Amino acid sequence: MNKTPTYSFVVPAYNEVANVSALYKRVKTLMDKVNDTWELIFINDGSTDQTLSVLFDICEKDNKVKFIDLSRNFGHQAALSAGLGNAKGNAIISMDCDLQDPPEVIQEMIEKWKQGFHIVYARRRNFRKDSIIKKVGSKIYYRLMGKFTRIDIPKNVGDFRLVDKRVLNEVNQMKEHSRYLRGMVAWTGFKHTFVDYQRPDREKGVSNYTFGKLAKLGMDGVFNFSMLPLRLGFILGFISIISGFGLLLYQIFDVLITGAYYHLYKWLVVILFILMGFMFMLFWVIGEYIGKIYDDVRQRPLYVINEMINFD
Ligand code: UDP
Ligand code: MG
C-alpha cells in the first residue's frame, strides 16, 4: 500500500503482549465504521515479552499494520517520536497500547478534525484510581506548569491526541533530544480543541511508567518549556541583597542614634549577606546565558506559519 492513508495510528508498546491484538481489533472495528484508509504503526520499545512475535503475526495478516522495532527500551516519548517520524497519514492519532483510550473518543476526535481543528486533545475528566500522591502531584504539577511557561500546555491531557499532518511536520522538525511531546505539539500553536472522556483503568498488564520515568517526564516538561528555574537565582539574590542592606542600615542607625557598639564580625556578617546576594545574582546571569545557549542548540523553528495570503 503506497497510497497515503487518511489516518495514521501511532502506538508505542512496551511489554504489552496482552494488549496488542485487542488494540488492533478495536482500531479495525472502528475504522470499518469510519470507512476510510488507515495505517496502524506499532513501536516495539524493546519489550522483553512476546510483544514482538505477536506484532509479526498481526502484520502478516494485515498490511495496514506496521511496526518499528527499536533496538532497546528508549522510553515512551522516544518510541512515540519514532512512530510519528514515520506516519504518513493526513491525521495522526497517537494513543497508548493499554486500551485506556476508548475508540468512541477517536471518532469524536475525527469529527473535530473534519471541522478544521488541527490539534484535538483527549482530556481526562476523571482521575484513575491512582494513589493520592499521583493525584495531588499531578494537580500541583499542572498548576506550576501553568505559572512557569509562557505557552499554554493543556491540563489533564496525556499523549492521546489527534494532530493534522501540518502539526506533525512541525513537530518532526524539532530535533531536541529530551522530548516532551505534548508541550511540543502545544508549542506549534495551531488551532486546537478538546474531547472530554472518562478514562478507564488499564485493562491488562501493569503501568510501565514507574515513578522515576514519570518524574523525568515532568522535569522535561518544566525545564524544556520554562526559564523560571534559571531565574531562581535572581529571586534569591534580590531577597538577600535587600535584607542585607536592611540589616546594615539598622546597625548604622543603631550606632548613630543610641550609640550602640557592634563588634567587627557583626559588620562582616551583614556585608557577607549582601555579597552573597550578588553571588546569587551572578548565578542568575550565568543562568540566562545558559538558557540562551539551550534555546539555540535546540534549533526550534523561529516561527510557525498558519496561512499566507496573496503570495504566489
Ligand atoms: N511505553 C513505552 N516505553 C516505555 C514505557 C511505556 O513505549 O518505556 C508505552 C506503553 O506500552 C504504553 C504507553 O507507553 O503504550 C503508556 O504507558 P503506560 O500505560 O505504562 O503509562 P500510564 O498510562 O500508566 O501513564
Ligand atoms: Mg496507560
Side-chain angles (χ1 to χ4, degrees), residues 12 14 16 45 73 76 97-98 100 202 207-209 213:
Y14 175 58
E16 300 279 9
D45 188 17
N73 180 254
H76 178 215
C97 197
D98 52 12
Q100 283 180 300
R202 181 181 246 282
S207 170
N208 294 310
Y209 258 103
K213 277 183 185 172

Side-chain angles (χ1 to χ4, degrees), residues 175-176 290-300:
K175 296 295 173 213
E176 59 209 69
I290 294 176
K292 283 195 196 307
I293 294 168
Y294 179 49
D295 223 29
D296 252 25
V297 294
R298 198 158 45 176
Q299 298 268 317
R300 287 229 185 118

Side-chain angles (χ1 to χ4, degrees), residues 2-15:
N2 38 21
K3 216 177 114 258
T4 59
T6 310
Y7 301 102
S8 295
F9 293 85
V10 178
V11 185
Y14 175 58
N15 293 346

Side-chain angles (χ1 to χ4, degrees), residues 91-108:
I92 297 90
I93 299 141
S94 51
M95 57 198 287
D96 284 2
C97 197
D98 52 12
L99 309 171
Q100 283 180 300
D101 307 333
E104 311 81 64
V105 183
I106 299 174
Q107 240 170 333
E108 257 184 85

Side-chain angles (χ1 to χ4, degrees), residues 59-305:
C59 289
E60 203 158 78
K61 282 185 224 127
D62 189 341
N63 65 358
K64 290 196 285 305
V65 183
K66 311 160 183 191
F67 74 82
I68 299 168
D69 182 32
L70 300 184
S71 61
R72 65 167 169 85
N73 180 254
F74 282 92
H76 178 215
Q77 300 286 302
L80 201 51
S81 301
L84 293 176
N86 289 285
K88 298 280 186 301
N90 293 327
I92 297 90
I93 299 141
S94 51
M95 57 198 287
D96 284 2
C97 197
D98 52 12
L99 309 171
Q100 283 180 300
D101 307 333
E104 311 81 64
V105 183
I106 299 174
Q107 240 170 333
E108 257 184 85
M109 289 160 94
I110 289 174
E111 286 307 313
K112 297 272 189 204
W113 175 63
K114 284 181 176 161
Q115 286 166 23
F117 289 101
H118 288 327
I119 307 170
V120 188
Y121 298 102
R123 183 166 51 187
R124 301 193 279 267
R125 291 304 309 278
N126 61 326
F127 270 96
R128 292 162 280 172
K129 288 186 221 132
D130 280 334
S131 64
I132 207 100
I133 301 176
K134 211 169 169 183
K135 267 189 226 173
V136 174
S138 139
K139 268 244 165 65
I140 297 175
Y141 178 71
Y142 281 117
R143 178 74 53 86
L144 284 179
M145 277 296 274
K147 284 225 160 60
F148 283 7
T149 58
R150 265 172 300 144
I151 59 159
D152 230 355
I153 296 179
K155 293 179 188 58
N156 298 338
V157 305
D159 279 304
F160 182 24
R161 72 181 153 251
L162 179 152
V163 298
D164 188 85
K165 199 187 181 75
R166 299 180 59 184
V167 180
L168 186 75
N169 285 341
E170 297 297 336
V171 171
N172 283 342
Q173 269 178 41
M174 300 185 199
K175 296 295 173 213
E176 59 209 69
H177 272 210
S178 65
R179 296 179 90 72
Y180 187 66
L181 282 162
R182 61 197 81 159
M184 289 155 68
V185 167
W187 183 91
T188 63
F190 283 109
K191 207 166 131 190
H192 69 271
T193 187
F194 299 92
V195 172
D196 287 320
Y197 76 114
Q198 300 279 333
R199 190 169 222 236
D201 286 314
R202 181 181 246 282
E203 223 145 89
K204 293 200 180 77
V206 289
S207 170
N208 294 310
Y209 258 103
T210 55
F211 184 75
K213 277 183 185 172
L214 204 62
K216 189 188 169 296
L217 184 70
M219 299 231 288
D220 280 349
V222 172
F223 289 119
N224 292 8
F225 285 91
S226 162
M227 293 286 165
L228 204 90
L230 282 179
R231 304 206 162 124
L232 226 57
F234 176 80
I235 300 165
L236 284 175
F238 190 76
I239 295 172
S240 188
I241 289 172
I242 293 293
S243 47
F245 268 113
L247 291 171
L248 186 65
L249 281 179
Y250 173 83
Q251 286 190 8
I252 290 173
F253 280 114
D254 209 19
V255 170
L256 290 181
I257 294 165
T258 68
Y261 172 75
Y262 284 89
H263 209 281
L264 178 65
Y265 77 88
K266 288 187 177 160
W267 294 103
L268 284 179
V269 168
V270 287
I271 288 168
L272 272 181
F273 214 80
I274 296 168
L275 281 180
M276 207 171 65
F278 281 110
M279 215 137 83
F280 279 128
M281 285 286 190
L282 215 61
F283 275 127
W284 161 61
V285 173
I286 294 171
E288 286 291 325
Y289 280 108
I290 294 176
K292 283 195 196 307
I293 294 168
Y294 179 49
D295 223 29
D296 252 25
V297 294
R298 198 158 45 176
Q299 298 268 317
R300 287 229 185 118
L302 281 181
Y303 47 79
V304 177
I305 293 171

